Amino acid sequence: MTKIRATITGVHGYVPADILSNADLEKMVDTNDEWIRSRTGIQERHILKGQGLASSDMGVEAARGLLEKTGTSPDEIEVVICATVTPDMLFPDTANLIAYKLGIKNAFTFDISAACSGFLFSLNTAVRYIESGAYKKVLLVGVDKMSSIVDYTDRSTCILFGDAAGAVLLEPSQDDETGVMDAILHSDGIGAEHLYQAAGGSLRPATHETVDAKQHYIYQNGRPVYKAAVMYMTGVVQEIMKKNNLHPDDVAWVVPHQANLRIIETMARMLDFPMERIMVNIQKYGNTTAATIPLCLWEWENQLKKGDKLILTAFGGGYTWGAILVKWAY
Ligand code: UT7
């Protein structure tokens, strides 16, 4: 029996309208445009404003656009997976809220938490559902409202993050030549001490004290995370290329998680891969955690050709990291 391959048949994104520029941040914390641009590559990020708006609302926008452009009815979706570290609430799962708001009634839903690698980990899961033969349409949403967990008095983190959503549809491939070809994913809890949100979970349930201590905000010790990101993302891209007998010339695009332009440039140098074929949009959006990779695919969609080999790669809190090889289907 020939193997069923899963393929991405559509991608869509959503970015909220409000912009937080480096000039805006200069008025909020002791920082400056030159430092932010030269250390991170970020010029501005988008922020979801408005009472009662949450990650699910951005996810709905991205997913609704995706269903429209792929001509998919909500009734056809069988599984909804949401990658996020900023769920609307700890439970119910945000995928469930997204499905409900979209009128998706025939699907089961769940969230995946793997920080900045969330989209890749979820993509691998979605792919396995398709490959099993049991499901034919899986909706995957990567969304984060990072502004809900960022401390806008902490200059070391508030300059980095933005809000956005991206969504992809996974279906069985119509041919053996295109689809998601391979995935290598890793986790190592050694990173837990460098990047976390201390309170609000079962270890430190939210109290007046945890809020006063700002423990419901993101904490990051940037230097070790930076070094690990360069080392592990580069390593896993090399690993997937070697495993699939690929040379940089064979790969049309590398699609990296957007955490820091310097991380991406260093990775490119170490891989001997030209920056012209690496998707970069961090200057406009900052780090949108689970949304970075689908946002890139969405923005570059018109430039992609059937059969193009893409390597998606991410590194994030945990630590978590990985690479997925895709042969673009359309
Ligand atoms: O997506 C999940 C994974 N996350 C990442 O991959 C992020 C990895 N880390 C990074 O991207 C970088 O470490 C940062 C962008 C977070 C920080 O850049 P850095 O070059 O590592 O700076 P640093 O933290 O070592 O700080 C250098 C200096 C410090 O001042 P002193 O001690 O040298 O006087 C900081 O206080 O820069 C200072 N600094 C700032 N100055 C102006 C830190 N943040 C700022 C700021 N504006 N916003």
Side-chain angles (χ1 to χ4, degrees):
M1 214 177 82
T2 50
K3 181 183 169 178
I4 298 169
R5 204 180 281 293
T7 198
I8 296 172
T9 53
V11 56
H12 203 69
Y14 173 77
V15 180
D18 279 292
I19 290 177
L20 182 65
S21 68
N22 290 352
D24 296 328
L25 285 161
E26 284 179 2
K27 297 183 200 121
M28 295 158 67
V29 287
D30 180 13
T31 190
N32 58 77
D33 178 54
E34 204 283 317
W35 193 97
I36 302 172
R37 277 177 198 248
S38 62
R39 298 285 182 129
T40 71
I42 303 168
Q43 295 170 22
E44 57 189 34
R45 62 288 296 135
H46 291 244
I47 303 295
L48 182 67
K49 289 190 178 159
Q51 197 68 27
L53 292 179
S55 289
S56 68
D57 298 294
M58 292 191 289
V60 163
E61 293 296 332
R64 184 182 286 127
L66 175 67
L67 295 184
E68 273 168 24
K69 77 197 263 193
T70 55
T72 309
S73 145
D75 294 341
E76 294 176 78
I77 300 293
E78 297 161 298
V79 188
V80 183
I81 305 175
C82 180
T84 188
V85 289
T86 51
D88 289 22
M89 295 169 277
L90 281 178
F91 70 90
D93 59 287
T94 302
N96 198 335
L97 301 171
I98 291 171
Y100 182 70
K101 291 180 188 182
L102 286 170
I104 293 174
K105 296 200 173 78
N106 302 323
F108 65 91
T109 69
F110 59 94
D111 289 357
I112 286 186
S113 168
C116 294
S117 307
F119 181 79
L120 283 197
F121 282 39
S122 308
L123 177 59
N124 186 50
T125 306
V127 163
R128 302 302 170 196
Y129 276 111
I130 300 287
E131 286 177 348
S132 75
Y135 303 98
K136 294 201 164 42
K137 287 190 197 290
V138 180
L139 171 64
L140 166 54
V141 178
V143 58
D144 271 298
K145 185 186 171 188
M146 295 307 289
S147 63
S148 67
I149 58 167
V150 161
D151 176 3
Y152 285 100
T153 65
D154 174 10
R155 69 176 182 174
S156 71
T157 53
C158 73
I159 56 142
L160 297 171
F161 295 100
D163 303 339
V168 296
L169 184 64
L170 271 295
E171 296 181 81
S173 182
Q174 295 304 310
D175 56 57
D176 199 40
E177 296 305 307
T178 57
V180 179
M181 312 305 280
D182 197 12
I184 302 177
L185 305 178
H186 296 286
S187 297
D188 185 348
I190 199 159
E193 65 179 292
H194 298 305
L195 184 48
Y196 56 80
Q197 185 184 347
S202 58
L203 177 63
R204 292 184 199 87
T207 62
H208 286 293
E209 288 72 28
T210 62
V211 172
D212 289 345
K214 300 185 170 185
Q215 289 180 331
H216 54 297
Y217 291 131
I218 204 167
Y219 166 84
Q220 178 172 246
N221 181 8
R223 283 267 173 94
V225 178
Y226 182 100
K227 285 186 190 152
V230 169
M231 185 167 74
Y232 289 128
M233 267 204 323
T234 306
V236 76
V237 172
Q238 285 168 334
E239 197 181 341
I240 205 161
M241 287 207 299
K242 189 164 179 228
K243 193 173 157 206
N244 291 277
N245 296 315
L246 295 173
H247 182 268
D249 293 345
D250 304 321
V251 178
W253 295 97
V254 170
V255 191
H257 170 56
Q258 313 278 309
N260 187 322
L261 179 60
R262 289 188 298 140
I263 293 176
I264 297 171
E265 288 174 340
T266 310
M267 178 188 72
R269 262 197 313 278
M270 289 168 71
L271 292 170
D272 205 13
F273 199 94
M275 279 302 290
E276 298 72 50
R277 288 192 283 119
I278 301 193
M279 295 185 191
V280 176
N281 58 14
I282 190 171
Q283 68 281 3
K284 294 191 287 185
Y285 306 127
N287 181 350
T288 58
T289 304
T292 58
I293 290 176
L295 268 192
C296 281
L297 294 175
W298 176 50
E299 287 208 337
W300 267 263
E301 190 185 17
N302 290 336
Q303 294 182 53
L304 299 176
K305 296 188 293 293
K306 186 171 180 174
D308 274 355
K309 294 189 189 82
L310 275 56
I311 294 180
L312 322 183
T313 185
F315 176 88
Y319 298 131
T320 53
W321 70 103
I324 293 188
L325 174 64
V326 176
K327 272 203 213 168
W328 199 250
Y330 61 98

